[in-house]
Amino acid sequence: MIRTLSQEVLIVGAGVIGLAIARELHLRGMKAVTVLDRGKAGGESSFAAAGMLAVQAETDTTGDFFDLCRASRDAYPDFAAELQSETGVDIELDRSGTLYLAFGDSDVRELRHRADWQKRAGLNVERLSARETRRIEPFVSPDVRESLLFPDDWQVENRRLLTALQTYAARNGLKVLEETECNRLLVKNGRVIGAETPDGKIYSQQTIIAAGAWTSLIGAEGIELPEVRPVRGQIVGFHTAKRLFNHVIYSPRGYIVPRADGRIIAGATVEDAGFDKEVTAAGVELVSGNAFEISPALSGLPIVEKFAGLRPKAADGLPVIGCISCVENLIVSTAHYRNGILLAPLTARLTADLATGDAVPELLRGFGPGRFEGRPEM
Ligand code: GLY
């Protein structure tokens, strides 16, 4: 029962973004931090994710978004080491790299284009022949034509990352209130002063919306929250007792992610299904088929899980991180779409910069909610 709480910061959404922001604010000296979640902490897209830190496999060009992704990937080694020492939880940062395979002619064209722009940008990318590819990954399909190796595209175990962040919160007295919906934001004299939940009111000096796909559903009279919509992704988990793969492996149609515990996560559909999180026969067939194209060996393995998550997507597919203009004390940090796990450490730092400073960090220019209101980023 909350009844009334008074906090320095209230964060709406206890996924990887909300929890990472809570930790960062606490590290900067804020002690009274509460994180609300309408369901279980980390129970939505952060849990369903596959944990790739796939800057070079998932972006199509250099630019501001690429810079944001790269800076966040580069933050991971320290982030992982700090979480390990703060919580004892190893988030299994695996720096073996990512392979990107081509099968047909259009795949080959796509790969060569990708290699060209990345080399021009000075990135670490190697082109491998079919033989070289199968030498480092003997279980990929014999139909592979060539591949790219991205040594700097890594992976983490996103569920262990959630455990680490929740452990941090628990050990440091941060309140994580599960099954506690933010019914509406409380606004007084042009300032957000907290939120109303079914259990009572929580007053706060700052409020941060990190509610992912649910951002636009938060009641906020007179405040225009950015439109964020859910994009369903279904994944299938296989299991193997013997380690089959050394890298995260992509094709232009899907990916497989080998985990330390023997699971191999295959993803993912990209579907407009509203808030429906059902796993469908068609989704499993599509994801499995794309995985079998990468490695026919997978078709003999048991399926140990099927899961769906809702990626939060803004109209332009880019994160929305910044202050809302028409009220004071309200920040949004949402819409990370396909890159929530990748962007968590940097988003936490930049959102904390917004919450504790006056200027918009350089890396965030162009990512604020103002871009949908036609106002310049300040
Ligand atoms: N980042 C992988 C996915 O969203 O499926």
Side-chain angles (χ1 to χ4, degrees):
M1 198 55 164
I2 299 169
R3 282 192 289 270
T4 319
L5 259 180
S6 206
Q7 296 290 286
E8 279 170 277
V9 180
L10 172 66
I11 300 169
V12 181
V16 70
I17 299 295
L19 291 170
I21 295 170
R23 167 184 173 270
E24 183 67 32
L25 290 171
H26 181 264
L27 287 171
R28 295 187 191 195
M30 292 195 182
K31 302 298 174 220
V33 178
T34 288
V35 193
L36 294 186
D37 202 282
R38 51 183 289 289
K40 289 258 167 280
E44 296 290 350
S45 53
S46 309
F47 187 86
M52 292 92 72
L53 309 180
V55 183
Q56 290 172 240
E58 289 231 3
T59 52
D60 294 325
T61 175
T62 49
D64 292 346
F65 181 60
F66 181 86
D67 292 344
L68 200 68
C69 291
R70 180 158 58 167
S72 202
R73 175 187 69 191
D74 293 347
Y76 253 97
D78 285 348
F79 188 49
E82 286 162 16
L83 284 169
Q84 169 99 54
S85 80
E86 291 158 4
T87 67
V89 179
D90 176 5
I91 65 169
E92 294 177 3
L93 174 65
D94 178 339
R95 297 171 69 168
S96 309
T98 293
L99 263 184
Y100 195 112
L101 311 183
F103 292 96
D105 290 344
S106 72
D107 291 1
V108 170
R109 279 194 296 278
E110 207 277 298
L111 253 73
R112 290 183 183 175
H113 170 69
R114 190 169 285 273
D116 285 348
W117 72 257
Q118 296 197 355
K119 280 193 175 138
R120 274 200 306 277
L123 300 169
N124 198 1
V125 51
E126 291 169 39
R127 260 182 72 186
L128 304 183
S129 66
R131 181 186 298 221
E132 288 166 333
T133 305
R134 282 175 53 82
R135 196 165 52 231
I136 61 169
E137 284 294 2
F139 289 97
V140 299
S141 167
D143 297 335
V144 66
R145 294 258 299 271
E146 59 185 63
S147 72
L148 300 180
L149 175 63
F150 307 122
D152 300 328
D153 271 14
W154 309 321
Q155 64 149 310
V156 287
E157 217 302 9
N158 42 292
R159 295 178 189 175
R160 292 183 68 91
L161 172 57
L162 288 166
T163 303
L165 292 169
Q166 285 174 275
T167 305
Y168 183 94
R171 285 196 180 169
N172 292 287
L174 308 181
K175 289 187 186 62
V176 179
L177 305 176
E178 302 183 300
E179 316 289 348
T180 306
E181 188 143 13
C182 169
N183 288 345
R184 66 182 182 97
L185 297 174
L186 299 169
V187 185
K188 191 173 175 192
N189 301 331
R191 299 163 73 92
V192 171
I193 56 165
E196 188 179 278
T197 78
D199 299 327
K201 290 180 177 160
I202 304 178
Y203 293 102
S204 59
Q205 287 157 32
Q206 288 267 6
T207 301
I208 299 174
I209 307 287
W214 287 266
T215 299
S216 319
L217 302 188
I218 292 170
E221 266 160 55
I223 301 174
E224 197 136 334
L225 290 176
E227 198 180 321
V228 181
R229 66 182 181 86
V231 177
R232 185 167 69 185
Q234 298 186 49
I235 58 164
V236 176
F238 300 91
H239 188 267
T240 169
K242 171 176 175 286
R243 183 151 191 153
L244 297 183
F245 304 103
N246 306 307
H247 303 84
V248 172
I249 309 179
Y250 273 77
S251 78
R253 289 160 290 285
Y255 52 78
I256 61 169
V257 184
R259 296 285 203 230
D261 65 2
R263 276 177 305 136
I264 299 169
I265 309 297
T269 59
V270 180
E271 301 167 87
D272 188 356
F275 286 91
D276 180 352
K277 287 194 298 171
E278 288 301 313
V279 173
T280 64
V284 172
E285 189 181 322
L286 180 75
V287 170
S288 306
N290 289 335
F292 300 160
E293 181 192 40
I294 291 172
S295 173
L298 290 168
S299 62
L301 299 181
I303 290 180
V304 289
E305 76 172 315
K306 300 169 194 166
F307 209 83
L310 302 176
R311 304 177 185 90
K313 187 177 185 205
D316 56 8
L318 298 173
V320 187
I321 306 170
C323 299
I324 296 287
S325 63
C326 59
V327 277
E328 286 177 40
N329 308 339
L330 181 62
I331 293 170
V332 287
S333 191
T334 187
H336 291 76
Y337 190 36
R338 297 181 66 98
N339 298 291
I341 304 298
L342 168 63
L343 289 171
L346 186 66
T347 296
R349 286 218 302 257
L350 296 174
T351 306
D353 289 349
L354 286 171
T356 56
D358 294 327
V360 175
E362 196 55 40
L363 273 167
L364 278 187
R365 286 184 193 277
F367 294 105
R371 70 185 190 268
F372 301 112
E373 301 161 11
R375 72 178 157 91
E377 300 298 333
M378 298 179 314

